[in-house]
Amino acid sequence: MNLFDLDEFFRLSAILNLQLSATSVGRDNIANAILGRKTLPDRDRAVLLRVLEYLDSAYGPARRRLGSVAVLHPLRASALLARALDQPTLLDILTELLHDKLEDLTSQELGQEKWQLIEASFQSLRQDIDPTDEWFLMERLDWLTRRSGDTYFQYIGRLLDHSKGTPELVRVKLADRLDNTLDM
């Protein structure tokens, strides 16, 4: 795995910010920024573009505590993951892009009306994913979600227990934590 340098992270962040702030979001450009020099089969790329559209709609103009637009976090974390893997799969990228979905994109966060629209869009999107990958994706998202009442230690312990059979979870969590750390 190559080292990821801070200058590269800032360039990536600037490229993604530029695409997000454009009048028309350049989802192809965002997908290229996430994948770097790596590629996905055409069918998988089409699903990736649809997920990017979903995330843009779901997060909207919401901001993180540190001020950046909220959607930037899953995009950058996915790019970090893609760069760490020899050949990322669609399942890897979708897991990273959606790793906060069950925590951030809730009816409490979005309001019931918007959440229903966003959730219907997500359910429709799931039908475009290979059924086996869709099952694994939903399982991974569940494992990556911190449950109400869990301490962070309990959450990480549960995640690591599941990672014995699904080591991909550790890579996803590390890319998430790395982006959070670099965002500071």
Side-chain angles (χ1 to χ4, degrees):
M1 176 170 89
N2 295 332
L3 291 177
F4 200 83
D5 115 357
L6 200 51
D7 288 337
E8 187 177 342
F9 176 79
F10 289 136
R11 275 192 298 280
L12 171 66
S13 195
I15 289 166
L16 290 170
N17 261 318
L18 177 65
Q19 293 303 316
L20 291 171
S21 63
T23 305
S24 174
V25 174
R27 288 189 189 87
D28 271 321
N29 294 335
I30 291 172
N32 290 339
I34 289 170
L35 294 170
R37 291 187 166 85
K38 296 166 183 158
T39 61
L40 290 174
D42 290 342
R43 184 183 184 289
D44 290 353
R45 187 172 176 92
V47 172
L48 173 60
L49 294 174
R50 186 136 183 249
V51 170
L52 294 175
E53 180 180 0
Y54 163 79
L55 288 171
D56 185 43
S57 174
Y59 281 104
R63 297 203 167 267
R64 299 185 82 198
R65 280 177 270 162
L66 295 173
S68 62
V69 288
V71 73
L72 187 57
H73 168 62
L75 300 178
R76 284 190 316 219
S78 297
L80 291 170
L81 179 68
R83 282 159 176 75
L85 298 173
D86 290 331
Q87 183 56 52
T89 66
L90 179 64
L91 181 57
D92 294 325
I93 300 299
L94 295 184
T95 301
E96 192 70 58
L97 283 170
L98 298 165
H99 74 274
D100 282 335
K101 184 222 180 297
L102 300 178
E103 291 176 11
D104 292 352
L105 304 175
T106 65
S107 60
Q108 294 80 12
E109 294 292 323
L110 301 173
Q112 189 64 29
E113 188 175 322
K114 181 175 181 183
W115 179 79
Q116 286 177 336
L117 292 171
I118 295 301
E119 192 59 20
S121 175
F122 182 70
Q123 297 307 322
S124 172
L125 172 65
R126 287 174 61 182
Q127 295 174 14
D128 290 348
I129 302 169
D130 171 82
T132 302
D133 282 351
E134 188 270 339
W135 185 88
F136 281 114
L137 173 65
M138 297 311 296
E139 181 180 56
R140 289 176 179 188
L141 296 183
D142 181 55
W143 290 341
L144 287 161
T145 301
R146 187 173 170 186
R147 295 197 171 100
S148 176
D150 275 359
T151 65
Y152 193 73
F153 179 76
Q154 290 168 324
Y155 160 65
I156 293 297
R158 183 174 50 83
L159 184 67
L160 290 175
D161 284 343
H162 287 294
S163 72
K164 291 173 188 166
T166 310
E168 299 83 7
L169 289 172
V170 174
R171 292 192 302 248
V172 168
K173 189 63 187 171
L174 288 173
D176 169 39
R177 298 309 310 158
L178 181 58
D179 181 69
N180 284 331
T181 301
L182 293 172
D183 201 24
M184 292 181 188

